[in-house]
């Protein structure tokens, strides 16, 4: 049963601490997305990777957020330093883009619920 | 630039009644359209999609959506809802953006099925 996995599922930390969230995309998928979901803003795209290269991170606060794909089986999202306003659920999704103009059906992970005190 | 509008943030409906969740989009190019569903404390799951061909698409659990190009809409309907349909529903549009497909999600509509 192929699915996207995310760790940790829950994280409580104090303001100023570094937070690292991990995502394992579905094997064979070549696109990875990071989203943030809050009650106020809804679902926001933070970053988009294709074949491990970042194609769009315009939605990500550059001063404290960073996203990487060290290899095809791992995507990371880091916040340093964390702030209370970063409290949200962070979703990772993966998909398979066969050609430049192929559609992006996305498969979502269960999310990481982050609380920054 | 593309955008997706879901005008209704919440839709209460009685069990076994019909429901329509509205979605309108704006885009300057051809698009693909999706509906995703999010159950409490879970990630989003694809419900149905329109890529090409027949403008009416269906899901396995009784939902359907119709692509209307002239009205730039992709409304989601179900003739008779169940308690288990209580969830948040997101409309999404995907279009080519600088050589790759960019997906934009709407703000979501919470469907509350009342017993």
């Amino acid at each position: 049963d192929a699915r996207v996995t995310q760790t940790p599922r829950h994280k409580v930390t104090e303001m100023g601490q570094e937070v690292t969230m991990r995502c394992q995309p579905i094997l064979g998928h070549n696109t990875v997305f990071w989203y943030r979901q809050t009650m106020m803003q809804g679902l926001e795209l933070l970053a988009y990777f294709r074949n491990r290269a970042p194609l769009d991170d315009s939605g990500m606060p550059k001063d404290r957020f960073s996203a990487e794909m060290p290899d095809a089986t791992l995507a990371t999202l880091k916040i340093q330093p964390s702030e209370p306003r970063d409290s949200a659920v962070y979703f990772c999704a993966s998909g398979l883009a066969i050609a430049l103009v192929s559609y992006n059906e996305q498969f979502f992970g269960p999310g990481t619920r982050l609380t920054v005190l | 630039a593309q955008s997706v509008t879901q005008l209704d943030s919440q839709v209460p409906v009685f069990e076994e009644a019909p429901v329509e969740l509205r979605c309108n989009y704006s885009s300057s190019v051809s698009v693909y359209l999706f509906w995703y569903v999010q159950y409490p404390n879970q990630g989003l799951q694809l419900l149905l999609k329109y890529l090409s061909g027949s403008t009416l698409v269906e899901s396995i659990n009784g939902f359907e959506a119709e692509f209307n190009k002239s009205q730039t809409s992709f409304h989601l309907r179900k003739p008779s809802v169940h308690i288990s349909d209580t969830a948040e529903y997101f409309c999404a549009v995907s279009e080519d953006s600088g050589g790759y497909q960019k997906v934009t999600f709407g703000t979501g509509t919470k469907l509350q099925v009342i017993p």
Side-chain angles (χ1 to χ4, degrees), chain B residues 78-95:
Chain B
K78 189 170 185 179
S80 176
V81 296
H82 301 286
I83 293 290
S84 58
D85 294 325
T86 295
E88 189 161 15
Y89 293 79
F90 293 87
C91 182
V93 60
S94 172
E95 70 170 15

Side-chain angles (χ1 to χ4, degrees), chain B residues 20-101:
Chain B
E20 178 180 83
L21 306 183
R22 295 179 293 169
C23 172
N24 288 88
Y25 69 92
S26 65
S27 174
S28 58
V29 297
S30 297
V31 298
Y32 304 121
L33 296 160
F34 308 84
W35 275 99
Y36 284 81
V37 58
Q38 184 180 28
Y39 297 105
N41 300 314
Q42 295 185 27
L44 280 69
Q45 305 170 34
L46 182 67
L47 185 62
L48 47 75
K49 61 192 176 191
Y50 169 79
L51 305 179
S52 63
S54 173
T55 57
L56 185 66
V57 291
E58 299 177 350
S59 72
I60 59 173
N61 58 351
F63 282 94
E64 64 178 31
E66 185 164 17
F67 170 54
N68 189 319
K69 187 173 183 180
S70 63
Q71 297 186 8
T72 59
S73 68
F74 191 56
H75 301 330
L76 182 69
R77 302 183 182 95
K78 189 170 185 179
S80 176
V81 296
H82 301 286
I83 293 290
S84 58
D85 294 325
T86 295
E88 189 161 15
Y89 293 79
F90 293 87
C91 182
V93 60
S94 172
E95 70 170 15
D96 181 47
S97 174
Y100 72 95
Q101 287 286 312

Side-chain angles (χ1 to χ4, degrees), chain A residues 9 35 37 39 43 45 48 50 55-56 91 100-106 108-110 113, chain B residues 32 34 36 38 41-44 46 49 51 88 90 94 96 99-103 105 110:
Chain A
R9 292 294 311 276
Y35 292 92
Q37 186 178 40
M39 290 290 291
L43 198 64
L45 177 66
Y48 168 46
R50 179 172 173 145
L55 289 192
D56 186 352
F91 287 103
L100 284 178
V101 201
S102 64
Y103 69 90
N104 267 331
E105 177 179 344
Q106 300 180 29
F108 281 74
R113 184 174 296 275
Chain B
Y32 304 121
F34 308 84
Y36 284 81
Q38 184 180 28
N41 300 314
Q42 295 185 27
L44 280 69
L46 182 67
K49 61 192 176 191
L51 305 179
E88 189 161 15
F90 293 87
S94 172
D96 181 47
Y100 72 95
Q101 287 286 312
K102 181 170 184 177
V103 180
F105 285 86
K110 292 184 179 178

Side-chain angles (χ1 to χ4, degrees), chain A residues 87-98:
Chain A
S87 297
V89 181
Y90 291 81
F91 287 103
C92 173
S94 71
L96 179 62
I98 300 173

